[in-house]
């Protein structure tokens, strides 16, 4: 028996044994996977942050004296571009919070001031209706109230609320710690990205075949192109719809135009569901001033969404991602149920990557079955660097 066949059968036997062990200890495997995921969460967050910031940093690096050969310029290019990237993102977040939070406080105060009037109107309405239905009023008067039972239920609810508050504080603290560690890890990745990329290429050339390297390079190049186009397109789309919302609200003289435009723009970063979340939140805030104006806002936003979905979104995001709407919805639903908002953001470009690769394979197979020589380009493998020692 040849060595290849022996390796093949050993691989199959090992795979069968591994599957049997996983099936027999499925609960243990799930527990280990969940623990591993929790432990690796800060690193995953760091990788996502590094990738998003790398898009911004690459722009600055291309425009920061790109032709200069000065050692000082070359040495300062990476740290300075990284600082500029973080500064822009922090300034954007601060600006958004500065616009949204004061308006939220104003709307909350207005709603609080309107509560007594709402209570009195509700009370008068209830009294009027009860007079029209004397039997209902009689039944309500016959209801016996057990004060001890009410006190016990309120006490149990208080303890449950206290436990929920503690759980919420723990979750927020854990998320904050993971984010801080992730940011630190992202900074390290961005400062040493060239060294890490070179090390990965060295491992590829040392342990993998040329065919495997071509496949990996094709996958990662397609994923990189898809993710980059998606994030850039989604960001531009959010700016467009947020600006149009602000302009339209100002023309229609609706309350809080800056805040509603900002909320719609920020939530538009989440495909499909983001606009619904932003519309509901903005309409509720406008409703504290005038329910009629809230209805006008919803009608205006529906019209704006139709214009955006048919004109702007296909040109800005749709063509760059190249994913049908049904798969976009599936990616958002599954990603959101597994990983929340981050899953919604990452699900679409990830599914789009596999979608493009699958259709590339399909086209290649159809070309082979038709008997036509394959003319689809293959990603060339990265050639290993030849050192002086090898030349000798």
């Amino acid at each position: 028996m040849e060595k290849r066949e022996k390796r093949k059968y050993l691989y199959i036997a090992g795979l069968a044994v591994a599957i049997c062990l996983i099936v027999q200890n499925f609960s243990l495997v799930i527990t280990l996977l969940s623990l591993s995921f929790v432990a690796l969460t800060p690193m995953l967050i760091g990788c996502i942050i590094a990738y998003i910031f790398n898009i911004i940093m690459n722009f600055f690096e291309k425009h920061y004296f790109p032709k200069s050969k000065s050692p000082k310029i070359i040495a300062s290019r990476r740290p300075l571009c990284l600082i500029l990237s973080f500064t822009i993102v922090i300034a954007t977040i601060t600006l958004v919070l500065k616009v949204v939070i004061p308006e939220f406080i104003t709307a909350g105060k207005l709603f609080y001031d309107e509560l007594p009037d709402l209570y009195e109107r509700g009370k008068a309405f209830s009294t009027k209706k009860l007079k029209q239905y004397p039997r209902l009023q009689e039944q309500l008067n016959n209801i016996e109230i057990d004060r001890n039972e009410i006190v016990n239920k309120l006490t149990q609810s208080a303890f449950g609320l206290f436990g929920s508050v503690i759980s919420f504080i723990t979750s927020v603290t854990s998320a904050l710690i993971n984010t801080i560690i992730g940011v630190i890890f992202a900074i390290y990745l961005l400062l040493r990205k060239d060294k890490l990329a070179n090390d990965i290429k060295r491992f590829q050339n040392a342990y993998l075949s040329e065919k495997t390297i071509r496949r990996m390079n094709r996958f990662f190049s397609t994923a990189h192109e898809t993710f980059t186009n998606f994030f850039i397109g989604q960001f531009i789309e959010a700016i467009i719809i947020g600006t149009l919302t602000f302009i339209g609200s100002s023309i229609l003289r609706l309350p809080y135009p800056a805040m509603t435009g900002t909320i719609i723009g920020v939530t538009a970063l989440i495909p499909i569901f983001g606009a619904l979340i932003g519309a509901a939140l903005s309409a509720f805030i406008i409703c504290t001033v005038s329910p009629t104006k809230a209805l006008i806002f919803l009608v205006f936003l529906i019209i704006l969404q139709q214009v955006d979905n048919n004109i702007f979104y296909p040109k800005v995001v749709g063509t760059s991602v190249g994913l049908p709407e049904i798969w976009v919805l599936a990616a958002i639903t599954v990603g959101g149920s597994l990983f929340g908002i981050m899953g919604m953001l990452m699900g679409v470009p990830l599914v789009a990557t596999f979608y493009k690769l699958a259709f590339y394979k399909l086209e290649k197979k159809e070309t082979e079955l038709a008997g036509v020589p394959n003319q689809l380009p293959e990603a060339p493998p990265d050639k290993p660097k030849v050192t002086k020692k090898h030349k000798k």
Side-chain angles (χ1 to χ4, degrees):
M1 190 180 293
E2 296 182 0
K3 289 184 178 181
R4 285 187 179 180
E5 293 184 0
K6 287 182 180 180
R7 289 179 181 177
K8 180 180 178 181
Y9 289 124
L10 286 173
Y11 175 76
I12 294 172
L15 184 61
V17 171
I19 292 172
C20 290
L21 291 173
I22 290 172
V23 171
Q24 290 177 355
N25 305 280
F26 188 73
S27 60
L28 179 61
V29 171
I30 294 297
T31 303
L32 291 175
L33 287 175
S34 61
L35 290 174
S36 301
F37 180 77
V38 171
L40 293 173
T41 297
M43 307 305 170
L44 294 174
I45 293 173
C47 292
I48 295 170
I49 293 173
Y51 186 83
I52 295 173
F53 274 84
N54 185 55
I55 298 173
I56 306 172
M57 197 170 73
N58 282 339
F59 173 80
F60 288 121
E61 287 181 339
K62 289 178 181 178
H63 295 84
Y64 182 76
F65 304 107
K67 297 181 180 181
S68 177
K69 296 182 180 180
S70 172
K72 292 182 179 180
I73 295 294
I74 295 173
S76 64
R77 179 177 288 120
R78 181 65 48 79
L80 187 58
C81 292
L82 179 61
I83 292 170
L84 284 174
S85 303
F86 271 89
T87 303
I88 286 177
V89 172
I90 292 171
T92 304
I93 294 172
T94 304
L95 181 62
V96 169
L97 294 177
K98 190 175 180 180
V99 171
V100 172
I101 289 178
E103 300 289 356
F104 260 118
I105 294 173
T106 304
K109 287 181 179 179
L110 184 61
F111 183 71
Y112 179 77
D113 293 336
E114 291 290 330
L115 273 179
D117 186 40
L118 290 173
Y119 173 75
E120 292 297 331
R121 282 187 287 177
K123 185 178 178 181
F125 177 80
S126 301
T127 305
K128 182 179 178 182
K129 289 298 180 183
L130 286 174
K131 287 181 180 179
Q132 296 177 1
Y133 302 99
R135 291 184 180 181
L136 179 60
Q137 186 175 7
E138 184 180 351
Q139 290 178 359
L140 290 174
N141 292 331
N142 292 330
I143 294 175
E144 295 182 359
I145 299 174
D146 189 350
R147 295 183 179 180
N148 294 329
E149 185 178 355
I150 293 174
V151 170
N152 290 332
K153 287 185 178 180
L154 288 175
T155 304
Q156 292 174 2
S157 300
F159 279 112
L161 181 62
F162 180 74
S164 300
V165 170
I166 295 297
S167 177
F168 176 75
I169 293 173
T170 304
S171 300
V172 170
T173 305
S174 177
L176 184 61
I177 293 172
N178 288 338
T179 304
I180 293 172
I181 296 173
V183 170
I184 295 171
F185 187 68
I187 293 172
Y188 173 81
L189 290 177
L190 291 171
L191 290 175
R192 297 178 59 85
K193 63 178 184 177
D194 294 335
K195 178 69 167 56
L196 292 171
N198 186 48
D199 291 341
I200 291 172
K201 290 178 182 178
R202 289 175 60 191
F203 275 100
Q204 282 182 332
N205 294 324
Y207 295 104
L208 301 177
S209 63
E210 292 185 3
K211 186 177 181 180
T212 305
I213 292 173
R214 281 199 300 269
R215 288 179 176 177
M216 289 181 65
N217 289 344
R218 174 166 294 280
F219 172 79
F220 286 115
S221 63
T222 304
H224 175 66
E225 180 184 0
T226 305
F227 272 77
T228 303
N229 291 338
F230 173 77
F231 285 125
I232 294 175
Q234 200 70 29
F235 183 73
I236 295 172
E237 165 68 13
I239 293 175
I240 291 172
I241 193 168
T243 304
L244 292 177
T245 303
F246 170 73
I247 294 172
S249 299
S250 300
I251 293 173
L252 295 173
R253 299 183 181 278
L254 299 176
Y256 313 119
M259 184 190 65
T260 53
T262 305
I263 291 175
I264 295 297
V266 171
T267 54
L269 293 172
I270 304 172
I272 298 179
F273 297 113
L276 299 176
I277 297 170
L281 186 59
S282 301
F284 174 75
I285 295 170
I286 295 174
C287 190
T288 60
V289 177
S290 172
T292 305
K293 290 185 177 180
L295 182 61
I296 294 172
F297 174 79
L298 287 176
V299 173
F300 159 69
L301 199 60
I302 291 171
I303 297 172
L304 180 62
Q305 283 290 327
Q306 293 300 317
V307 174
D308 178 70
N309 292 335
N310 291 289
I311 297 177
F312 297 110
Y313 195 86
K315 294 182 179 180
V316 177
V317 180
T319 55
S320 61
V321 176
L323 191 65
E325 293 182 358
I326 184 64
W327 292 113
V328 172
L329 181 61
I332 293 170
T333 304
V334 176
S337 61
L338 292 176
F339 305 107
I341 294 177
M342 189 59 67
M344 291 183 180
L345 291 174
M346 304 298 291
V348 174
L350 187 62
V351 172
T353 300
F354 287 107
Y355 183 84
K356 288 180 180 180
L357 291 172
F359 271 84
Y360 167 78
K361 284 287 185 182
L362 177 62
E363 291 173 2
K364 185 178 180 181
K365 188 67 177 177
E366 288 176 345
T367 304
E368 292 175 355
L369 292 174
V372 181
N374 182 26
Q375 297 178 355
L376 296 174
E378 288 283 351
D382 294 318
K383 296 182 180 180
K385 294 182 179 180
V386 181
T387 60
K388 292 183 179 178
K389 185 177 180 181
H390 290 160
K391 287 183 179 180
K392 290 180 181 180

